[in-house]
Amino acid sequence: MDSHKKNIVILISGSGSNMACIVQAARREQWHKRFDAQIACVISNRPNAEGLSLADKLGLANQVLDHQLFASRQAFDAELMQLIDRWQPALVVLAGFMRILTPDFVEHYAGRMLNIHPSLLPAFTGLHTHQRAIDAGCKVAGATVHQVVAELDHGPILAQAVVPVVAGDTAQSLAARVLSQEHLLYPKAIREWLERA
Ligand code: GAR
């Protein structure tokens, strides 16, 4: 690990497929040469997140900080900040990180923290985005990469991908269609962020 590079720390809670696609894009596109950037560490708040073994397979430093061991959201976020800051990150990437963040945490990483949300924001913030899009009769759905601000799933939009909602879609089938686009969208949005940084 090169200590002079722009470190990117990725936070996950689940399967980590976005994380893996970002790492693969970084390697394929040589972000270390083009942007002097490297994926420094993957951190999960869930000890059993599948993404942790994926991070292992990809040869990435990874750590668990189990939110269930903390008495309050503030205490967890304060410890998480310490873990992240060991890497002095240029960018923090939320990739399926299923936590509501405290204002202090968001403020600390203001302007250098991105999130991907599985809807066309500002529609359908929060959970169950795909079922809600189907129930609302939406003809299109998608995903949004945005800068993180204190209000959940708000903040300047950096990139969006649109997919059709088709007859007979279930939340699962729509989620799979959206996720396949997330895998292209998030690496692209991060690359564009690095180009501007
Ligand atoms: C992705 O669909 C992402 O958009 C969503 O969780 C999934 C994570 O998949 N994020 C949120 O819902 C955040 N509110 P992954 O772990 O395979 O990348």
Side-chain angles (χ1 to χ4, degrees):
M1 195 62 50
D2 186 336
S3 59
H4 301 295
K5 292 216 178 289
K6 286 178 196 151
N7 280 337
I8 300 173
V9 172
I10 304 182
L11 307 187
I12 64 167
S13 300
S15 56
S17 68
N18 276 292
M19 174 275 294
C21 288
I22 293 163
V23 171
Q24 281 154 0
R27 289 179 180 171
R28 195 174 55 241
E29 298 168 6
Q30 304 204 310
W31 290 2
H32 60 290
K33 284 195 186 148
R34 287 175 65 189
F35 309 119
D36 207 27
Q38 64 189 357
I39 314 296
C41 185
V42 174
I43 301 173
S44 170
N45 66 306
R46 294 205 179 120
N48 57 355
E50 287 169 50
L52 287 166
S53 46
L54 203 49
D56 266 339
K57 280 191 200 130
L58 289 163
L60 291 169
N62 59 86
Q63 281 179 299
V64 174
L65 189 67
D66 185 350
H67 66 275
Q68 291 184 314
L69 303 179
F70 290 81
S72 69
R73 198 173 284 285
Q74 280 73 16
F76 172 75
D77 277 11
E79 184 69 25
L80 181 59
M81 250 190 264
Q82 290 208 7
L83 263 192
I84 295 171
D85 284 351
R86 284 189 201 157
W87 302 98
Q88 300 189 310
L91 185 64
V92 176
V93 169
L94 309 182
F97 188 60
M98 304 304 281
R99 296 278 307 166
I100 291 171
L101 305 168
T102 55
D104 283 351
F105 186 92
V106 172
E107 176 61 30
H108 186 68
Y109 299 108
R112 54 181 175 131
M113 182 156 59
L114 307 184
N115 181 45
I116 191 160
H117 181 74
S119 80
L120 293 172
L121 291 174
F124 308 124
T125 60
L127 296 174
H128 311 300
T129 54
H130 304 300
Q131 190 59 55
R132 286 159 64 207
I134 291 169
D135 292 347
C138 294
K139 301 300 180 203
V140 294
T144 303
V145 176
H146 64 98
Q147 299 224 34
V148 176
V149 297
E151 195 176 349
L152 181 71
D153 299 330
H154 282 66
I157 290 174
L158 301 182
Q160 289 185 307
V162 180
V163 303
V165 179
V166 301
D169 253 339
T170 61
Q172 257 187 333
S173 64
L174 182 54
R177 193 174 310 122
V178 170
L179 189 63
S180 68
Q181 291 305 307
E182 292 184 41
H183 293 162
L184 304 174
L185 184 72
Y186 215 177
K188 178 172 172 283
I190 295 169
R191 187 197 322 122
E192 288 170 357
W193 190 92
L194 290 168
E195 278 166 354
R196 287 192 304 269

